[in-house]
Amino acid sequence: MSSGGITLDEVLAACERVGKVCDPVTASEVGEELGCTRRAALNKLDELAERGDIESKTVGARSRVWWRPPDRSSAYEQADTDDAPAPSSVTVDESLDEIDKRLEAELDKVFGRISEGFYALDNQWKFTYVSERAKELIDAQDMDLVEESFWEVFDDEADTAFSENYRTAMETQEPTFFEVYDETLDAWYEVHAYPSESGLSVYLRDVTNLVERERELEQSERRYRALVEHFPNGAVALVDEDLHYRTVGGNPLDVADVTVEAIENRPVREALPPKLADELVPRYEAAMEGESNSFEAEYDDRTFEFHIVPVRDDDGNVFAALGMSQDVTKRKESERELERALDLLERTERIADVGGWEIDVDTQDVFWTDHIFELLEVDADEEPPLDEALNMYHEEDQPIVEAAVEDALASGDSFDIEVRIHTDHSGIRWLRLQGVPETVDGDVVSFRGAAQDITEQKERERELQERNDRLDSFASMLAHELRNPVTIGQIYSQQLPDETESDAVEYVTEAFDRIEDMIDVLLVLTQGREAIGERTPIHLADAAREAWDKVEAPEATLNIEFDYTTQADKTYVQHLFRNLFENAVEHGGSDVTITVGGLPTGFFVADDGHGIPAGERDGVFEAGYTTAADQGGTGLGLAYVKELAEVYEWEYTVTESSTGGARVEFTNVDQAAPSN
């Protein structure tokens, strides 16, 4: 781009992009920004200086810098004043404070020593161009580097910052900048590398002196570093020894409802609302004594965080204080929510006696919540790796845990197991261990779970099992002991004299038969499959009719509408039908109508009575469930039906009949060929 094609406004805009207000820029920097020569940029900068838009001064022996004072408008805004007489000389604005002067003095020395070298590499890492200055910088004046491989010429750079940054730039196609120290040349270099598909363009600059000077400038640049490094999102201000605001940045409107322009160069006490001033003034005074401090305060239902730090000169003397404020309302709300959630989690863990764990799928490291340490009786700083954590389980259960974890990591399937674990003080404890992997595209990306102490539950289950075993043993013994006298009673009842009243004989016979039925029920309930004899083909319809003959319900009606043959013990199946029929009469009324019908894989027993409420249907088969306890109901009838169905592996369910009564369905009933 020629100088004739560049407007003054474009040059002024380039200055503003290259440097902030009051920051010096060079003609080279502006030319690079505009894509023109340094001379073209220099001419336009001189024109801007002549008409008063920017100021300029000589730096060192040969260099010049330009800057835009904060009180100057842009060239476009001054278009109507171009005819005004140009100032005869330009000086630095007297409002620049002492820090600016010290920084400028150091920058004078830096700008006088700027120099760069350039070389280009193709995508095969071969040199395509090397400037003379670049050869000087890399000590290769006598070498023809074009077409040579960078890695062969500089084989000692293969594992240095050059290799890492060059290769990263080519892989990401993003420019990179880095500083590197060359021990061979005892020099520091500043390197800018710009990648493209065809190769890499490298600008090399010897910044050895600059690095040394930057170290010397560190103290004088503290103000600027503090603004950059410590400035949170919010407002920042520099306060002088008289507690006047000298520089203000950010947005003070949020906390003080004031603008930057309204408080600069004013006393802190006068510039701020009284409440905020009372908080800040003592802290600025403390900062002037070298004390840093931070605090939080609430204004208009929002929480702000303040930091006040002293600013020192080259000699370590405090000459200003830097104040920073940040609206942390959302962060505080998040912290409170997090604390509440963590507290809830901790309380829940303790109440449920459960803790959480996580296994890093990449490193296999194990992470536990606090309550896990308590469950395992392990110190909180002794979180073991996975292999050591597995060793804490009982020897017989270690393979179970290891297999569950490995399968979950490989397949992404969850697991839920009960295992034992060794503890130092409580001995062996039982844990319910659950693991839930999270997968993305079929790969496990996280693996978390929970561990719950179920030792007391296992102890209760053991005690309950022992009690049940004792009860089963007693019931079986009682059933067997009763069967012999019942049999004897049945025999003698048949030998009663003919003159004995027939009703009495019938009652005694029926009583003994009923006792025998109860014995069969008890044996099925206590012994299950062991109580069932040999299975033979039986017609379920015949078994239902024979069972109906034993039911005392002269007003009730039985309809049998199916023909189904299965392998079973006829006596026990008759008991099943009899219990269902008697239950229907008991709950449906003396004139109830009962229907036994067929299903594709079984049968059903339905009535037209009052039915069973939906909320009670799951419980009617449990032992002891009865609504006729005052009439002698034992609650064993339907429990027997359930037990027998499970012994034969029939599926059963309670629903509503077509007439609104109860309907019990049996499916998965094996069908057998009828016997001859």
Side-chain angles (χ1 to χ4, degrees), residues 73-85:
S73 59
S74 68
Y76 180 82
E77 293 169 341
Q78 294 216 356
D80 294 335
T81 62
D82 283 346
D83 294 334

Side-chain angles (χ1 to χ4, degrees), residues 578-600:
R578 182 174 178 179
N579 279 307
L580 289 173
F581 295 159
E582 290 179 342
N583 189 72
V585 172
E586 178 183 335
H587 296 284
S590 60
D591 60 347
V592 68
T593 297
I594 303 171
T595 301
V596 181
L599 295 171

Side-chain angles (χ1 to χ4, degrees), residues 358-365 367 409 443-447:
E358 179 178 7
I359 297 176
D360 189 302
V361 297
D362 296 321
T363 66
Q364 302 292 294
D365 290 334
F367 303 94
L409 289 172
D443 296 326
V444 176
V445 296
S446 69
F447 187 25

Side-chain angles (χ1 to χ4, degrees), residues 84-146:
S88 57
S89 62
V90 180
T91 61
V92 178
D93 193 303
E94 294 180 354
S95 66
L96 294 176
D97 55 23
E98 186 63 23
I99 296 177
D100 291 321
K101 294 178 181 179
R102 288 195 297 272
L103 178 59
E104 183 181 89
E106 297 295 339
L107 291 174
D108 286 346
K109 302 175 183 178
V110 173
F111 278 113
R113 288 187 289 272
I114 295 177
S115 57
E116 289 186 350
F118 172 79
Y119 59 82
L121 305 172
D122 63 16
N123 54 18
Q124 300 299 316
W125 302 105
K126 292 183 178 181
F127 287 100
T128 59
Y129 176 80
V130 185
S131 71
E132 291 300 321
R133 178 55 179 156
K135 289 185 176 181
E136 294 178 11
L137 293 175
I138 61 179
D139 195 23
Q141 295 93 326
D142 300 330
M143 301 175 63
D144 184 7
L145 300 178
V146 175

Side-chain angles (χ1 to χ4, degrees), residues 23 163 168 243 286 329 334 370 411 491-492 499 531 551 624:
D23 284 352
S163 173
T168 299
L243 297 192
T329 306
S334 298
D370 291 343
S411 66
I491 293 173
Y492 279 103
E499 62 272 14
V551 176

Side-chain angles (χ1 to χ4, degrees), residues 41 48 52 63 137 192 203 267 270 319 374 402 437 442 470 492 562:
L48 286 171
S63 299
L137 293 175
H192 292 262
Y203 293 86
E270 296 178 7
F319 66 90
E374 297 180 14
E402 187 172 3
R470 289 195 298 270
Y492 279 103
F562 83 122

Side-chain angles (χ1 to χ4, degrees), residues 236-256:
V236 61
L238 190 71
V239 175
D240 64 16
E241 295 174 310
D242 297 325
L243 297 192
H244 282 65
Y245 282 116
R246 307 310 304 177
T247 303
V248 180
N251 188 9
L253 278 171
D254 290 339
V255 61

Side-chain angles (χ1 to χ4, degrees), residues 230-236 255 276 280 283 293-299 302-308 323-329 331-332 335:
H230 302 290
F231 178 43
N233 295 328
V236 61
V255 61
L276 182 56
L280 288 176
R283 289 179 168 84
N293 58 83
S294 302
F295 70 100
E296 291 182 359
E298 292 189 1
Y299 298 97
R302 289 189 295 171
T303 303
F304 293 88
E305 185 176 78
F306 294 85
H307 301 275
I308 313 296
M324 295 162 284
S325 65
Q326 182 182 23
D327 186 342
V328 294
T329 306
R331 191 191 76 193
K332 299 299 290 186
E335 289 176 353

